Each structure stands twice: as C-alpha cells, then as structure tokens.
Amino acid sequence: MFKAKQQLGKYRIQRRVNGGPFADVYAATDTIEGVSVALKIPQARLMTKEFLEDFRKEVRVMARLDHPHILPLKDASFIGSHFVIAFPLGQRTLADRMRYRLSLPLILDYADQMVGAVAHAHANRVIHCDIKPENFILFPGNHLRLTDFGIAKVARRTIQASGSGTVGYVAPEQAMGRPSFCSDVFSLGLVLYQMLSGQLPEWPYAWPPPGFARLRGRVHPDLINVVRRALEVDPRRRFHDAARMHAALKRVKPRALCAGARLQKRSAGSATKRDWKTIRRRQFLKQYGAALGTRFSCPRCGGPVSEPMHACPWCGAARRVHRHQTRF
C-alpha cells in the first residue's frame, strides 16, 4: 500500500479510495498537468504474467470505447515495478449517491446515461459483465461514467467465460458461465429497479419483487414494463442488447416524467390529510418490522409481510405460497 504524499512517477498519492481482491484505487495528483486523477494499481503479489495480461486487455478494451458516459483512459504504463492505470477522478460512486433520496427525474436521467454507456459498449461488441452501482462514477453536474472493464468480454461467435461478476447484480445465465449482451441488460434492470423502489430484487427473481408497491405508486406503467422486460429470467424474453433497452427507455421517459409530476402534485396537495392506515403501517414497521423480517410485499395490497405469515395482516389475503427467496 502507498502512503499519502508518496511519489509514484509524476503522481503524488493523496489517499486510498478503494481496494479489491485484485487492485487498489488511489486518488493522486498529476504533478505535471496539475490535475487530480484516480490510479488503479494491481496488487504486487498478483503480478504474474497471466494476471498482467488481463490488465492489458482491460486497457485495450477501454481504449476502444469513446463515449461521454464511459470513463476515459488517461494513461497506462509501468512506473518502476508497478503497472499503473490513470483515470479522471470522480466525486463518488452511484452506490454512494443511492444512500440518499433520488427524485424520479434524476433517476431517469441516471438511467439514460447508464443504458447509453452500455449500449455504446455493446455496439463495439464489448460485454461489461460487471454492471453495478459501484462501477458508475459520479462527476459534477450529475454526470455518470461507467468504469471497471476488468472482466469485460469481447463478443465472439461463441462466448466461453467463467461465471464472473458481482453477486446480487449478475444475470442467471452469466452466473453459469454464459454471458451475453442481455446479461448486461439484466444487471441494468436490477440497478434501475433498486433506484426506483429502494430494494434490490433477489433470486429467484419472481415478479413482483419486494418493493413493488412503492414502484407502482410513483412510476408510470410503461416504465414498469421496461424494467420488467429487462428483468426477465429467460434471456430470450429480454431486450437483446442495451441499445434496444435504451430506445425503449427514451420512448417512455416523457410519459414517466409527466406521470411523476402529477403524482408529486397530488401527494403535495394531500400532505395535510392524516391517512390512518398509512400512520398505522408506519408505526407497525417501526416497532416490529425488524423483528418480523417484513422484507416482502403483499401482491394484493402492497403491505409489508414476512415469510412465515400465512395471511396479509393488512388486507387478509391468504399466503399459501411464498414466491420469493426463502431463508429456510
């Protein structure tokens, strides 16, 4: 690990930003250009010939991609015994931003940028294979850029790849070693659903996922249909690639914005009304939500339910079948 103010070629280390099993990322200053940069440095213990070739492939993939929402490559070279990849330094990741409230117009703006970046990669026959909020870097002006093509695959007539990716955001067929363009589409659908509902769907990805009640209450049905198609478990029923998902998203975006504005106006007009059902539900979740594990939603009324419940406590609907992932 490098220390603050340590010199590495023309770069002066500021701090360690992130670390992973293969490489560390540092914020640094380019002392010649006078700008801040991010340095990705593979861990020294892993610097074998094969491992170094993987990093060279990442550099070559990024050098092929020129898009406003893909993080550009500034430099890649050996500095002493260290292989150093330099990028522009962003403010934070999308994962950091998602810890705070996101308005619907901002979510749709982010979605447009994310899907557009992946569509450009697909147009250049590159499958990212690791779409997740941590790999979108936020710059001033809510400008997103996709990064980390470390496990990207260049599409061939037949794709053979290991089941790589990040658990929680990987498509089912990719987990079994058969990634394709629609695998990235599935991961984009997961990120978009998480931004809209506040919850990340889990295997076996039954519809509706947890948080659907909130999604239905703030999102136009046409936008829900785009997300649902992206999250189809069968790859043949998804968008073929991100370009087609991007086109569908652009078609529904104006309607989604108009519907979101109407809902916001309606909720603002009724903010002074005391809904006893909402108050009761919030109090219940505050007191017993963690203890009962109410991680799921009733498909009839959208109320919070837990796996062991035989019926919804809000509308009385029977729960004879649990259609989500089980803890038992």
Side-chain angles (χ1 to χ4, degrees):
M1 292 180 62
F2 296 93
K3 298 179 181 180
K5 298 185 179 180
Q6 183 174 347
Q7 198 75 19
L8 183 63
K10 67 173 183 174
Y11 303 109
R12 183 183 298 113
I13 303 295
Q14 297 174 1
R15 68 186 186 281
R16 184 169 176 262
V17 176
N18 194 11
F22 306 114
D24 294 317
V25 179
Y26 295 88
T29 301
D30 186 326
T31 57
I32 296 178
E33 297 183 23
V35 296
S36 296
V37 295
L39 303 180
K40 184 174 183 179
I41 305 175
Q43 295 185 7
R45 61 182 177 83
L46 300 174
M47 289 296 289
T48 62
K49 183 178 179 181
E50 294 78 10
F51 189 76
L52 186 59
E53 184 60 28
D54 290 339
F55 273 88
R56 286 198 179 101
K57 288 179 181 178
E58 178 181 359
V59 170
R60 290 164 187 161
V61 167
M62 296 198 69
R64 290 173 50 184
L65 304 177
D66 182 12
H67 190 269
H69 299 296
I70 293 179
L71 193 66
L73 180 70
K74 284 183 64 67
D75 184 40
S77 60
F78 278 97
I79 302 178
S81 60
H82 301 285
F83 184 58
V84 180
I85 308 174
F87 308 96
L89 181 65
Q91 295 176 318
R92 53 181 168 175
T93 67
L94 178 61
D96 296 329
R97 180 61 183 87
M98 286 169 59
R99 296 173 185 170
Y100 307 95
R101 183 182 179 276
L102 296 169
S103 66
L104 181 60
L106 184 58
I107 291 173
L108 290 173
D109 183 31
Y110 283 166
D112 190 15
Q113 296 181 57
M114 292 189 308
V115 181
V118 180
H120 178 77
H122 288 181
N124 286 272
R125 310 300 295 170
V126 175
I127 308 170
H128 189 280
C129 293
D130 198 18
I131 301 293
K132 59 182 179 180
E134 289 81 0
N135 282 340
F136 288 98
I137 309 300
L138 192 60
F139 287 80
N142 288 318
H143 189 88
L144 282 180
R145 286 175 169 174
L146 176 62
T147 186
D148 201 354
F149 285 81
I151 56 174
K153 304 293 185 296
V154 179
R156 305 294 182 192
R157 191 173 299 274
T158 302
I159 298 176
Q160 294 182 347
S162 62
S164 53
T166 298
V167 175
Y169 293 97
V170 66
E173 73 279 358
Q174 182 181 333
M176 293 185 288
R178 297 193 298 272
S180 64
F181 293 129
C182 54
S183 303
D184 283 349
V185 167
F186 189 87
S187 300
L188 285 168
L190 288 173
V191 177
L192 183 54
Y193 187 93
Q194 186 179 12
M195 287 196 296
L196 290 168
S197 70
Q199 297 193 48
L200 179 64
E202 299 176 349
W203 176 261
Y205 302 115
W207 192 269
F212 182 72
R214 184 186 179 198
L215 182 74
R216 187 172 54 186
R218 70 181 303 207
V219 174
H220 192 280
D222 290 349
L223 179 56
I224 294 178
N225 290 335
V226 172
V227 177
R228 182 171 185 174
R229 185 175 174 186
L231 291 177
E232 288 284 356
V233 176
D234 186 351
R236 295 170 296 181
R237 302 179 65 181
R238 286 182 222 144
F239 298 104
H240 176 69
D241 55 24
R244 298 188 187 185
M245 182 180 178
H246 198 206
L249 189 64
K250 284 185 173 181
R251 284 195 300 268
V252 305
K253 185 177 178 180
R255 295 193 292 273
L257 287 172
C258 291
R262 287 197 300 269
L263 288 172
Q264 185 177 5
K265 185 176 180 180
R266 191 183 309 163
S267 62
S270 61
T272 57
K273 298 180 181 179
R274 295 181 63 84
D275 183 353
W276 67 270
K277 290 184 179 180
T278 301
I279 295 173
R280 183 182 69 168
R281 185 175 296 178
R282 288 176 179 173
Q283 187 65 22
F284 173 84
L285 289 175
K286 184 177 179 181
Q287 288 187 271
Y288 308 111
L292 294 177
T294 51
R295 300 170 51 244
F296 309 101
S297 301
C298 172
R300 176 186 290 181
C301 71
V305 295
S306 62
E307 182 176 350
M309 289 182 179
H310 290 255
C312 173
W314 310 104
C315 67
R319 297 187 71 254
R320 296 186 178 90
V321 178
H322 180 68
R323 302 187 182 279
H324 304 281
Q325 187 174 7
T326 177
R327 294 182 299 169
F328 297 99

